[in-house]
């Protein structure tokens, strides 16, 4: 039977069919749907971990125990998980261990572009790159085999277009495998320097065997066509090259891109007139070919920045613009905005008028940096808001500058990597203020559970972490909990923070406006145009439901309004009423 699946769905299906029994992840686009589609399988224990490092360590522990396991994350998540990943290359595994990284060329939903193929080479871990959904499923099986045969973790690298595009997948049945027996082996699993030095040598011996495997593996194969042009490629770039060049070129399709098959590459290059490399992002393959002494074209023709597509490949290699259908419609500009009724809006509105530095974090609330709120100075990575804010405050303090510093972070991101920053503030006598935007869900990636929601990935009720108690336990005595949708409460807490020299945490609580299981505001807000003074203060909230009509009157779109009443609270002329 065949089904139309995305790459992420196919990886999940592969996890089921090839006997994975433990899977862990932290949600992050474009990888999120892998665990969401694994969770329904009763045969697999699946969890949202607090962050990617924990997810990798959970899956690695399961592999040590003898189970087949998988950890999934987006590309920047692998930065968080890199510490245990590098050492796992030394220890090896027991049961199979697969690390899925989903890169995001073009930064559709990321703070940077990075090419995680270099991680495989850096960590000396074999890497597979599927080019469609069928391969996504099958490569899970290949990764399982390689992992168990060579006693190594295996990286499965997807990109956004592979993760989210659909193609037909042949479904199979589950391979029920028993756990491999666990045997205590400190020389293998305890990486004291004495053991690690031995493991380091074994790692190089393993790589030699993996390189031999790569030379012969059907994952790397030649597709002969016209030999005037030879294209070396992998992943989604293979599909683009095929679509543009068809049979007018020959292809070396690389499914295993670390270690690379040098002899196969040389053989292919020797039989074609000119060699071209088609790859997204960095010149990973191109650099390797040039190190082998093979002349080739690559990034001299194809951009190093952004996501590829067939048009870009055609423009680069054929030097002509492909025929496309022109349309006269100009899409309306839609700057990213927080949703109508978003509980974060009031907090940023209250912060926007303050003489303070506001360090931000990764999540929906990053949109607080957008006009008209413009209430954010920095955004770097998960958890950085807290430590960045502490750094700002210490620099100001050391240089005699009296300026307040706020950090804003979501509940899930606080659990991910904000907690250690807060501990640093308490330990090192900081006095910045952290605002935890607690909307009861991981909203930015599509509403996944986290330790504060009270539910597991499989929907089971569980322990619910108490943010206030955690902050108290970490050494912060001044902790205030406020309703995000009550501006008076929010402003009072922020004013208190402006006037204290104590470290402080404000927990601004209200459910995500899209979260159906939580009680949401009711009613609709309406502006009385006869009372409205057209001051535009309500527009400063940046709510998509509030706009000026063709007569320049300020209007609230009742279909978008969810009755949060923030606009009513900011109106100084009582021109807005909210009806049930």
């Amino acid at each position: 039977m065949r089904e139309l699946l995305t790459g992420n769905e196919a990886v999940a299906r592969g996890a089921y069919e090839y006997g994975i029994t433990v899977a862990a992840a932290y949600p992050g686009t474009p990888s999120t749907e892998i665990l969401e589609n694994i969770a329904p399988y009763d045969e697999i224990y699946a969890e949202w971990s607090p962050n990617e490092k924990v997810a990798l360590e959970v899956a690695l522990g399961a592999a040590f125990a003898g189970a087949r396991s998988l950890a999934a994350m987006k590309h920047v998540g692998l930065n968080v998980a890199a510490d245990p990943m590098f050492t796992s290359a030394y220890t090896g595994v027991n049961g199979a261990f697969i690390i899925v990284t989903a890169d995001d060329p073009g930064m559709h939903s990321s703070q940077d572009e990075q090419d995680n193929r270099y991680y495989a080479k850096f960590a000396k871990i074999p890497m597979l790159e599927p080019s469609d959904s069928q391969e996504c499923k099958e490569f899970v099986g290949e990764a399982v085999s390689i992992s168990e045969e060579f006693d190594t973790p295996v990286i499965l690298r997807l990109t956004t277009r592979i993760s989210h595009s659909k193609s037909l997948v042949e479904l199979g049945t589950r391979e029920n495998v028993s756990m491999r027996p666990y045997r205590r082996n400190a020389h293998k699993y305890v990486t004291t320097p004495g053991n690690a030095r031995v493991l380091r040598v074994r790692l190089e011996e393993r790589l030699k065997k993996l390189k031999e495997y790569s030379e012969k593996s059907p994952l790397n194969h030649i597709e002969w066509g016209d030999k005037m042009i030879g294209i070396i490629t992998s992943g989604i770039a293979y599909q683009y090259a095929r679509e543009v060049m068809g049979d007018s070129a020959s292809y070396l399709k690389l499914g295993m891109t670390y270690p690379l098959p040098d002899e196969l590459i040389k053989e292919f290059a020797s039989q074609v007139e000119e060699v071209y490399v088609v790859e997204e992002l960095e010149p990973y393959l191109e650099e390797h070919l040039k190190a082998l002494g093979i002349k080739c074209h690559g990034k001299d023709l194809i951009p190093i920045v952004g996501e590829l597509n067939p048009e870009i490949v055609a423009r680069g290699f054929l030097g002509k613009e492909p025929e496309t259908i022109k349309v006269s419609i100009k899409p309306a500009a839609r700057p990213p905005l927080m949703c109508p009724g978003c509980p974060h809006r009031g907090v940023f509105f209250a912060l926007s008028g303050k003489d303070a530095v506001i360090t931000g974090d990764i999540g929906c609330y990053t949109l607080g940096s957008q006009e008209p709120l413009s209430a954010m100075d920095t955004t770097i990575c998960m958890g950085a808001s807290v430590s960045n804010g502490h750094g700002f405050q210490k620099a100001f303090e050391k240089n005699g500058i009296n300026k307040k510093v706020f950090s804003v972070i979501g509940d899930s991101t606080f659990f991910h990597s904000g907690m250690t920053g807060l501990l640093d503030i308490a330990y090192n006598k900081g006095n910045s203020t952290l605002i935890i935007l607690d909307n009861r869900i991981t909203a930015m990636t599509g509403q996944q559970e986290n330790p504060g929601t009270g539910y597991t990935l499989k929907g089971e009720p569980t322990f619910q972490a108490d943010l206030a108690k955690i902050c108290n336990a970490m050494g912060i005595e001044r902790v205030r909990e406020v309703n995000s949708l009550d501006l008076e409460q929010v402003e009072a807490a922020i004013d208190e923070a402006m006037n204290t020299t104590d470290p402080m945490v404000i927990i601004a609580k209200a459910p995500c406006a899209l979260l159906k299981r939580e009680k949401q505001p009711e009613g609709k807000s309406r502006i009385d145009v006869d009372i409205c003074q057209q001051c535009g203060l309500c527009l400063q909230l940046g709510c998509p439901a509030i706009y000026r009509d063709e007569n320049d009157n300020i209007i609230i779109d009742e279909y978008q309004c969810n009755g949060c009443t923030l606009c009513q609270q900011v109106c100084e002329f009582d021109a807005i009423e909210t009806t049930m």
Side-chain angles (χ1 to χ4, degrees), residues 137-421:
K137 192 200 81 164
E138 292 175 352
F139 281 20
V140 171
E142 297 288 348
V144 164
S145 299
I146 292 169
S147 181
E148 292 185 345
E149 179 179 348
F150 293 93
D151 188 17
T152 178
V154 176
I155 295 174
L156 183 68
R157 179 188 183 245
L158 313 182
T159 55
T160 302
R161 210 52 53 185
I162 295 290
S163 289
H164 290 166
S165 59
K166 290 194 172 189
S167 60
L168 286 170
V169 176
E170 186 72 36
L171 303 186
T173 56
R174 179 171 170 84
E175 177 186 349
N176 286 310
V177 291
S178 302
M179 280 182 65
R180 290 185 164 192
Y182 169 71
R183 296 185 180 86
R184 197 174 191 190
N185 186 348
H187 294 297
K188 176 175 168 62
Y189 297 123
V190 181
T191 52
T192 55
N195 290 335
R197 290 187 193 105
V198 176
L199 295 171
R200 175 78 177 88
V201 174
R202 289 181 186 167
L203 175 56
E204 293 301 324
E205 292 170 351
R206 179 199 299 153
L207 281 176
K208 288 180 183 175
K209 294 175 183 174
L210 282 163
K211 198 165 187 63
E212 293 170 3
Y213 175 86
S214 182
E215 295 284 359
K216 299 172 184 174
S217 170
L219 296 169
N220 300 322
H221 64 268
I222 295 170
E223 298 170 4
W224 290 117
D226 191 316
K227 293 189 175 180
M228 289 293 289
I229 295 175
I231 296 175
I232 299 178
T233 183
S234 65
I236 192 63
Y238 163 77
Q239 302 289 359
Y240 299 151
R242 260 289 181 191
E243 184 171 335
V244 171
M245 302 300 292
D247 291 332
S248 64
S250 295
Y251 303 87
L252 172 54
K253 180 182 181 303
L254 297 170
M256 185 173 188
T257 44
Y258 187 76
L260 284 164
D262 292 350
E263 297 308 316
L264 183 63
I265 290 171
K266 290 176 185 174
E267 178 192 340
F268 178 76
S270 70
Q271 295 193 44
V272 297
E273 293 293 322
E274 284 195 282
V275 177
Y276 293 80
V277 178
V278 181
E279 57 186 333
E280 273 182 332
L281 299 180
E282 302 299 319
Y284 171 81
L285 298 175
E286 182 182 344
E287 286 176 347
H288 191 83
L289 264 64
K290 289 179 175 174
L292 292 174
I294 298 172
K295 292 182 179 178
C296 62
H297 291 286
K299 293 302 171 184
D300 54 332
L301 301 174
I302 289 182
I304 197 171
V305 175
E307 186 177 27
L308 293 184
N309 59 39
E311 288 74 25
I312 295 173
V313 173
R315 194 179 301 126
F317 286 98
L318 301 177
K320 63 181 184 182
E321 290 293 327
E323 290 186 13
T324 55
I325 299 173
K326 306 288 185 187
V327 294
S328 58
I329 301 170
K330 187 177 180 181
R334 290 190 175 86
L337 292 169
M338 288 185 281
C339 301
C342 175
H344 304 328
R345 179 169 285 107
V347 174
F348 286 113
F349 180 81
L351 283 171
S352 61
K354 302 298 181 187
D355 179 22
V357 167
I358 304 162
T359 55
D361 223 293
I362 304 295
C364 303
Y365 45 87
T366 309
L367 297 172
S369 64
Q370 301 291 307
E371 293 181 344
L373 295 166
S374 304
M376 198 174 288
D377 291 79
T378 66
T379 302
I380 302 299
C381 66
M382 298 284 282
S385 63
V386 192
S387 317
N388 278 171
H390 181 58
F392 262 101
Q393 184 261 312
K394 285 296 181 184
F396 288 155
E397 180 183 275
K398 195 68 179 174
N399 291 280
I401 298 171
N402 183 22
K403 198 174 186 70
K404 190 68 189 179
V405 178
F406 289 89
S407 301
V408 289
I409 192 169
D411 49 339
S412 182
T413 314
F414 179 71
F415 293 126
H416 177 281
S417 49
M419 293 169 61
T420 44

